[in-house]
Amino acid sequence: MPDSLRVALLGCGVVGTQVARLLTEQADELRQRVGARLDLVGVAVRRLDAPREGVDASLLTTDAEELVTRADVVVEVMGGIEPARGLLLRAIEHGASVVTANKALLAADGPSIYAAADERGVDVYFEAAVAGAIPIVRPVRESLAGDHVQRVLGIVNGTTNYVLDKMASEGLDLEQAVKEAQALGYAEADPTADVEGYDAAAKAAILASLAFHTRVSIDDVAREGITGVTADDVRWAESTGHVVKLLAIAERNDNDGSPGVQVRVHPALVPADHPLAGVRGAYNAVFVEAEAAGQLMFYGRGAGGAPTASAVLGDVVSAARHRVLGGRGPVESSYADLPVLAPEAAVTRFQIRLEVVDRPGVLAQVATTLARHAVSIEAVRQVSTVDDPASTAHLLITTHVATEGALRATVAAVSELDVVKDVVSVLRVEGS
Ligand code: NAP
């Protein structure tokens, strides 16, 4: 058995600095847990002269290509697709186990990393790639390995959850809430990856792959961000007992006897008494429904240097233990190979808000149009605008479950009706 293992760190930013700190501060405990000393042998960065608190400057290098050839465990926390992918493949080729927090890379091209690791017989761990500190990859991949996951609903992007929460609690509009998130460091100067749902889509792809033993890439995920959500939507949601959340959804869909996987990211109305509705601020949570286990929820910090480093270190310990004791951890499993279904096939309930002419018979016309498209109404609420010379009323229609395709066709037909002045919003209702 080796006395020590060599650990190489690729990247020393928000997460990497904390990984380096924990490796040093907890060296004794890590040694006991692993059964060998973990020696940090190098830290690859772009800029050698940037200040990095608590990191031994003599370990810094700009030669990541060389560093990965002299390590037993390589930790990639640099982000982006290249050079991260090339470096991980090179590390694996040289026999190292790898740990990565890189959701973008795994959602774009995880299978090439998993295949290389299989061939070389080394581990690939990526707990930090989904929902930061929250243990969710291991529970789905290992704890639920004897069950059938049916659905995963996740709040996996803290920035958008913070923004929507501020809109609800303080009545801010989207732009104001994003500015506040930026001022507090929750949102990047360019918040596109978060507010347009790209970050959540990458995590949805990873979760769907794990939950359904099927390869799902970010290109398979139907994605809609929160930029269309207005302060009005959030107020109306509250008035009907809901909160608006950006959800990453992966579900098995057995419609028509041919199973498939549906993976999507979009804002949704969540009933106020659903556990996900209570996830406030920049927190994350993943709600899993499994056949035998029932409902499970995993909650915690989805980002931040130390929380993410906690998940990374857990992976380092697992990979290192295998180096000491022999064997490998669980590998990627894609045996089910389910088709990823088109977004139109998604089945959910909808809330449609219309501005209509305020006169008798209008509701009947709208209801008939929905019925013609086989979309049935669960509830309708009509609010007339008092003293409105234009005689406008608001209709809030909640539907029973319908396919996304049927709903889109319905909305297009409803918007053509003379009595309909505007289709103000269409939001999906999830978690009920
Ligand atoms: P970051 O603060 O931007 O740090 C990136 C680090 O990688 C920097 O030290 C940078 O070097 C180094 N780097 C980038 N490109 C490089 C290259 N070509 N060669 C050598 N070094 C390079 O990023 P982060 O926030 O720590 O995130 C790292 C990874 O963790 C990403 O995949 C991210 O998605 C994931 N993650 C982050 C969080 C979080 O809360 N931040 C949460 C979950 C997952 P310089 O310092 O010299 O520029």
Side-chain angles (χ1 to χ4, degrees):
M1 291 210 302
D3 288 342
S4 65
L5 293 169
R6 299 160 302 167
V7 179
L9 192 55
L10 307 181
C12 195
V14 174
V15 180
T17 311
Q18 295 302 316
V19 172
R21 179 180 67 80
L22 292 175
L23 274 171
T24 311
E25 283 180 12
Q26 301 181 5
D28 280 347
E29 277 179 284
L30 291 170
R31 180 177 51 78
Q32 311 236 28
R33 292 173 192 175
V34 169
R37 221 177 51 237
L38 296 180
D39 290 339
L40 184 57
V41 293
V43 180
V45 292
R46 279 176 301 208
R47 299 159 299 146
L48 288 175
D49 53 355
R52 303 177 201 269
E53 211 188 315
V55 179
D56 177 354
S58 70
L59 293 174
L60 298 177
T61 174
T62 52
D63 194 351
E65 293 270 336
E66 185 274 332
L67 176 60
V68 298
T69 64
R70 54 179 173 94
D72 301 298
V73 180
V74 170
V75 179
E76 186 272 306
V77 281
M78 58 172 39
I81 307 294
E82 291 295 354
R85 171 171 43 198
L87 289 168
L88 286 178
L89 290 173
R90 187 171 163 83
I92 290 168
E93 194 183 307
H94 281 264
S97 294
V98 298
V99 172
T100 177
N102 194 333
K103 66 218 115 185
L105 172 57
L106 294 179
D109 192 21
S112 71
I113 312 276
Y114 309 141
D118 271 350
E119 198 162 304
R120 201 63 176 77
V122 295
D123 282 331
V124 180
Y125 278 104
F126 50 89
E127 184 61 71
V130 183
I134 304 175
I136 184 65
V137 171
R138 244 185 215 81
V140 173
R141 180 153 82 170
E142 298 177 41
S143 316
L144 291 170
D147 206 333
H148 289 122
V149 174
Q150 290 153 327
R151 197 145 83 119
V152 181
L153 292 178
I155 295 173
V156 291
N157 181 269
T159 306
T160 45
N161 201 56
Y162 177 86
V163 166
L164 292 170
D165 192 27
K166 279 284 152 184
M167 289 172 76
S169 61
E170 293 178 19
L172 303 185
D173 66 25
L174 184 92
E175 204 180 323
Q176 292 168 316
V178 169
K179 281 203 178 114
E180 202 164 296
Q182 284 168 324
L184 288 167
Y186 291 140
E188 306 274 333
D190 175 3
T192 312
D194 293 322
V195 297
E196 295 292 358
Y198 290 101
D199 175 78
K203 293 165 182 169
I206 297 170
L207 281 173
S209 305
L210 290 168
F212 302 112
H213 304 275
T214 288
R215 284 184 175 171
V216 178
S217 97
I218 190 163
D219 297 332
D220 297 317
V221 183
R223 178 194 49 78
E224 185 185 317
I226 62 166
T227 46
V229 178
T230 64
D232 235 17
D233 290 333
V234 173
R235 269 194 296 276
W236 276 90
E238 195 181 357
S239 77
T240 60
H242 295 88
V243 289
V244 182
K245 295 288 185 192
L246 181 73
L247 295 185
I249 302 171
E251 60 192 351
R252 195 185 152 103
N253 187 328
D254 283 319
N255 281 353
D256 310 326
S258 50
V261 177
Q262 194 85 60
V263 195
R264 54 193 203 271
V265 166
H266 54 67
L269 298 172
V270 175
D273 58 0
H274 190 281
L276 286 173
V279 178
R280 306 287 309 270
Y283 274 82
N284 280 198
V286 184
F287 189 79
V288 180
E289 295 169 15
E291 201 174 281
Q295 299 181 333
L296 303 161
M297 186 154 109
F298 303 84
Y299 170 86
R301 290 192 187 277
T308 308
S310 159
V312 169
L313 258 287
D315 283 352
V316 170
V317 168
S318 297
R321 267 203 205 121
H322 292 140
R323 311 285 297 194
V324 171
L325 300 171
R328 283 179 84 195
V331 296
E332 188 227 11
S333 142
S334 55
Y335 72 87
D337 199 19
L338 295 170
V340 180
L341 303 173
E344 293 74 29
V347 176
T348 188
R349 291 163 61 229
F350 295 87
Q351 212 176 73
I352 308 165
R353 189 149 58 89
L354 305 173
E355 260 179 28
V356 296
V357 176
D358 194 4
R359 64 165 187 253
V362 170
L363 178 56
Q365 273 192 62
V366 172
T368 307
T369 309
L370 264 74
R372 213 178 297 129
H373 290 83
V375 175
S376 75
I377 295 177
E378 183 191 284
V380 180
R381 202 164 120 195
Q382 178 163 353
V383 180
S384 299
T385 312
V386 183
D387 298 333
D388 176 7
S391 301
T392 303
H394 285 265
L395 271 188
L396 189 71
I397 300 170
T398 308
T399 73
H400 284 294
V401 288
T403 64
E404 179 96 26
L407 193 275
R408 280 187 205 166
T410 308
V411 169
V414 163
S415 67
E416 294 293 310
L417 295 174
D418 288 345
V419 293
V420 172
K421 295 182 172 183
D422 191 17
V423 179
V424 185
S425 78
V426 179
L427 284 166
R428 298 150 185 102
V429 185
E430 300 285 351
S432 51

